[in-house]
Amino acid sequence: MDTLIRFGISLPKGLSEKFDRLIAVKGYTNRSEAIRDLIRAELVQKEWRDNKEVAGAVILIYDHHQRELLDKITDIQHDHQTMIISTQHVHLDHHHCLEIVAVKGRAAQAQQLADKLRAVKGIKHAALTFSSTGKELP
Amino acid sequence: MDTLIRFGISLPKGLSEKFDRLIAVKGYTNRSEAIRDLIRAELVQKEWRDNKEVAGAVILIYDHHQRELLDKITDIQHDHQTMIISTQHVHLDHHHCLEIVAVKGRAAQAQQLADKLRAVKGIKHAALTFSSTGKELP
Amino acid sequence: MDTLIRFGISLPKGLSEKFDRLIAVKGYTNRSEAIRDLIRAELVQKEWRDNKEVAGAVILIYDHHQRELLDKITDIQHDHQTMIISTQHVHLDHHHCLEIVAVKGRAAQAQQLADKLRAVKGIKHAALTFSSTGKELP
Amino acid sequence: MDTLIRFGISLPKGLSEKFDRLIAVKGYTNRSEAIRDLIRAELVQKEWRDNKEVAGAVILIYDHHQRELLDKITDIQHDHQTMIISTQHVHLDHHHCLEIVAVKGRAAQAQQLADKLRAVKGIKHAALTFSSTGKELP
């Protein structure tokens, strides 16, 4: 367990009150945890900008009736298999699949994988979520 | 299969050339598909802004050694079980877990679920990806 | 001057060190000010989501040789004159103008103004910056 | 004037209809112009990612009663004077100023200027808008 560093901060009264209301709505029970999360969110952005080793997820929506689509998606995933951890597949309705590809690797390569999947004809939407391996995120 | 509508567009020569280079790098093999994806990305943003029924994923990074963390995450997921489709769990290293929660429901409720999970002490990072059920996304 | 509220927070040692490095690079001289800015940035996002009275700027890039462009831009600005505070105009090169329209009003109306200006033929790029009137931002 | 390149694209009927509705709301009178703007928005993002020469605006909200604030803002602007084109100043109310700094230079330097200004005590909010010099944006 990491040592805790304690220090005091000061906020203008109005800002402090707004902050308390904001974090109550979001479900925080203490200010430290809310502030830690604001800082960590900044650090995760920085990991991606600096092309560090990151984790994330590519989320795909597609109609599985589209010809050859599954072959192409599988081919691309195999080309990037060193960075793909696992894949989760959901049948949204008779036509639509939601597929979530958990990835870990360099930020630029994760971006490239998402771009290639998005470009496949029949993929309706591809989004890449920026997260972290947690290792560099105390 | 949806009927295809064909129409002509015009781009300044320089813009057309830059567009062709951009989409080649991204792996597109034709312009129509690239333009469709630009349009769909706009429509997905709009589905979320208009609080439509959407699909998405909440991605969590946490240290599973943190006390009571798993109980709290499970409790929150049960409170929102009608909108959670399935959960994928990955052991990133000895300490860190990556958990991806596939969700489907109103955009505002998906946002609320992500906020609640982020606020749990021990969750290092929580990100919400905006995607679509595909139904309203031709 | 608003009263200052002082309270203590605790951060894991590693997070505290990363935070100190991050804010040093950004030019902060104390942690309180950096944390206040993280909180205020959240509150500004919320003002825009909640369609409050906000301030912001629409920034336009266009080629002033385009026919009738200036008339159309002026017409649109007059239609929204109650929310436009002032306009700054810069000649970037022989062709290109940078125009920055300072706005104050409801968030949705600022968005609408930016959309209308972007749609004018000859406007190469229109971006809307989210800021605040400051009144609700202690 | 740049030559126009004409080519045909095809969209699924449903997507075409949604696109037409979306762009009508935004005020576009033809599809080509709407598609050009989607492409240009991508290219502007790319100019910033690739640290090209860009244009943009830093928008500041501050309370001018804060001691020494104006001196510090002016000092920072002078340190970056080669990239600052002009500054627009608006008195929002008795306390609050909105200041918009038009900038032109490398993307990373514009980011650094925005970071330094944000870090000044008394600046309530600083936002950086990404735009373009237009030169590389046909």
Side-chain angles (χ1 to χ4, degrees):
Chain A
M1 219 10 234
D2 206 354
T3 324
L4 282 180
I5 304 291
R6 291 173 197 282
F7 58 87
I9 63 166
S10 59
L11 301 184
K13 187 158 178 276
L15 186 63
S16 175
E17 288 168 358
K18 287 209 164 219
F19 176 56
D20 288 348
R21 275 200 297 276
L22 179 73
I23 69 179
V25 169
K26 295 199 173 201
Y28 287 99
T29 52
N30 76 71
R31 291 161 172 162
S32 287
E33 188 56 25
I35 289 170
R36 280 177 218 139
D37 282 352
L38 287 174
I39 297 171
R40 288 189 196 112
E42 286 280 305
L43 294 173
V44 170
Q45 293 303 315
K46 199 170 147 50
E47 288 185 357
W48 281 78
R49 271 201 311 273
D50 295 352
N51 197 22
K52 299 283 184 186
E53 189 183 54
V54 295
V58 184
I59 174 167
L60 306 172
I61 303 292
Y62 57 84
D63 183 336
H64 64 95
H65 293 117
Q66 192 85 22
R67 282 201 320 133
E68 298 174 12
L69 179 61
L70 293 177
D71 289 348
K72 281 184 203 152
I73 295 177
T74 308
D75 284 354
I76 292 173
Q77 294 194 21
H78 273 276
D79 290 347
H80 293 76
Q81 63 178 319
T82 54
M83 70 178 314
I84 295 180
I85 309 171
S86 78
T87 296
Q88 176 181 9
H89 190 101
V90 174
H91 304 287
L92 286 176
D93 60 29
H94 183 62
H95 290 278
H96 292 101
C97 301
L98 167 70
E99 190 162 312
I100 304 178
V101 186
V103 297
K104 182 177 149 185
R106 291 277 156 190
Q109 289 174 320
Q111 190 74 60
Q112 198 182 29
L113 171 59
D115 281 346
K116 275 197 199 168
L117 289 168
R118 182 181 298 112
V120 173
K121 192 178 153 62
I123 298 283
K124 287 188 166 191
H125 192 247
L128 171 63
T129 314
F130 293 0
S131 190
S132 167
T133 64
K135 262 187 256 179
E136 304 295 321
L137 201 66
Chain B
M1 224 1 240
D2 206 353
T3 325
L4 283 180
I5 303 292
R6 290 171 198 283
F7 57 87
I9 63 167
S10 59
L11 302 184
K13 187 157 178 277
L15 186 63
S16 176
E17 288 168 358
K18 285 208 166 220
F19 177 55
D20 288 347
R21 274 200 297 275
L22 180 73
I23 68 179
V25 170
K26 296 199 172 198
Y28 286 99
T29 52
N30 76 71
R31 292 161 172 162
S32 287
E33 188 57 24
I35 288 171
R36 281 178 217 137
D37 282 353
L38 288 174
I39 296 172
R40 288 189 196 111
E42 286 280 306
L43 293 173
V44 170
Q45 295 302 316
K46 199 170 146 50
E47 288 184 358
W48 281 79
R49 271 200 311 272
D50 295 351
N51 197 22
K52 299 283 182 186
E53 189 183 52
V54 295
V58 184
I59 173 166
L60 306 172
I61 303 292
Y62 57 84
D63 183 336
H64 65 95
H65 293 119
Q66 192 86 21
R67 282 200 321 132
E68 297 173 15
L69 179 61
L70 293 178
D71 289 348
K72 281 184 203 153
I73 295 177
T74 308
D75 284 355
I76 292 173
Q77 294 195 22
H78 273 275
D79 289 348
H80 292 75
Q81 63 178 319
T82 54
M83 71 178 313
I84 295 180
I85 308 170
S86 78
T87 296
Q88 175 181 10
H89 190 101
V90 173
H91 305 287
L92 285 176
D93 60 29
H94 183 63
H95 290 279
H96 292 100
C97 301
L98 167 70
E99 190 162 311
I100 304 178
V101 186
V103 297
K104 182 177 148 184
R106 290 275 157 192
Q109 288 174 319
Q111 189 74 60
Q112 199 183 28
L113 170 60
D115 282 346
K116 275 198 199 168
L117 289 168
R118 183 182 297 112
V120 174
K121 192 177 153 63
I123 298 282
K124 286 188 166 191
H125 191 247
L128 171 63
T129 315
F130 293 179
S131 191
S132 166
T133 64
K135 261 187 259 179
E136 304 294 322
L137 201 67
Chain C
M1 220 6 236
D2 206 353
T3 324
L4 282 180
I5 303 291
R6 291 172 197 280
F7 57 86
I9 64 168
S10 59
L11 302 184
K13 185 155 178 279
L15 186 63
S16 174
E17 288 167 358
K18 285 208 166 220
F19 177 56
D20 288 348
R21 273 200 297 276
L22 180 72
I23 68 178
V25 170
K26 295 199 174 200
Y28 286 99
T29 52
N30 77 70
R31 292 160 171 162
S32 287
E33 187 57 24
I35 289 171
R36 279 177 219 141
D37 281 352
L38 287 174
I39 297 171
R40 289 189 195 112
E42 287 281 305
L43 293 174
V44 170
Q45 293 302 315
K46 202 170 145 48
E47 289 184 357
W48 280 79
R49 273 201 310 274
D50 296 351
N51 197 22
K52 299 283 185 186
E53 188 183 55
V54 295
V58 185
I59 173 168
L60 306 172
I61 303 291
Y62 57 84
D63 182 335
H64 65 95
H65 293 118
Q66 192 85 22
R67 281 200 320 132
E68 297 174 14
L69 179 60
L70 293 178
D71 289 347
K72 281 185 203 150
I73 295 177
T74 308
D75 283 354
I76 293 173
Q77 294 196 21
H78 274 276
D79 289 347
H80 293 75
Q81 62 179 320
T82 55
M83 71 179 311
I84 295 180
I85 308 171
S86 77
T87 296
Q88 175 181 11
H89 191 101
V90 174
H91 304 288
L92 286 176
D93 60 30
H94 182 61
H95 290 279
H96 292 99
C97 302
L98 167 70
E99 189 161 313
I100 305 178
V101 186
V103 297
K104 183 176 150 185
R106 291 275 156 192
Q109 289 174 319
Q111 189 74 61
Q112 199 183 27
L113 170 60
D115 282 346
K116 275 198 201 168
L117 288 169
R118 182 181 298 111
V120 173
K121 192 176 155 62
I123 298 283
K124 287 189 165 190
H125 191 249
L128 171 62
T129 314
F130 293 179
S131 192
S132 166
T133 64
K135 263 188 256 179
E136 303 295 320
L137 201 67
Chain D
M1 217 13 232
D2 206 353
T3 322
L4 283 179
I5 303 292
R6 291 171 197 282
F7 58 87
I9 64 167
S10 59
L11 302 183
K13 187 157 176 279
L15 186 63
S16 174
E17 288 168 358
K18 286 209 165 221
F19 176 56
D20 287 348
R21 274 200 297 277
L22 179 72
I23 67 178
V25 169
K26 295 199 173 198
Y28 286 99
T29 53
N30 77 71
R31 291 161 171 162
S32 286
E33 188 57 25
I35 289 172
R36 279 177 219 141
D37 282 352
L38 288 174
I39 296 171
R40 289 190 196 111
E42 287 281 304
L43 294 173
V44 170
Q45 293 303 315
K46 202 169 144 51
E47 289 185 356
W48 281 78
R49 273 201 310 273
D50 294 352
N51 196 22
K52 298 284 183 185
E53 188 183 55
V54 295
V58 184
I59 172 168
L60 306 171
I61 303 291
Y62 57 84
D63 183 336
H64 65 95
H65 293 119
Q66 192 86 23
R67 281 201 320 133
E68 297 173 14
L69 179 60
L70 293 178
D71 289 348
K72 280 183 203 152
I73 296 177
T74 308
D75 283 355
I76 293 173
Q77 294 196 21
H78 273 277
D79 289 348
H80 293 76
Q81 62 178 319
T82 54
M83 70 178 314
I84 295 180
I85 308 171
S86 77
T87 296
Q88 174 181 11
H89 190 101
V90 173
H91 304 287
L92 286 174
D93 60 29
H94 183 62
H95 289 281
H96 293 99
C97 302
L98 167 69
E99 189 161 314
I100 304 178
V101 186
V103 297
K104 182 176 150 186
R106 291 276 156 192
Q109 288 174 319
Q111 189 74 61
Q112 199 183 28
L113 170 60
D115 282 345
K116 275 197 199 169
L117 288 168
R118 182 182 298 111
V120 173
K121 192 177 155 62
I123 297 283
K124 287 189 165 190
H125 191 248
L128 171 62
T129 314
F130 293 179
S131 191
S132 166
T133 64
K135 262 187 257 178
E136 304 294 321
L137 201 67

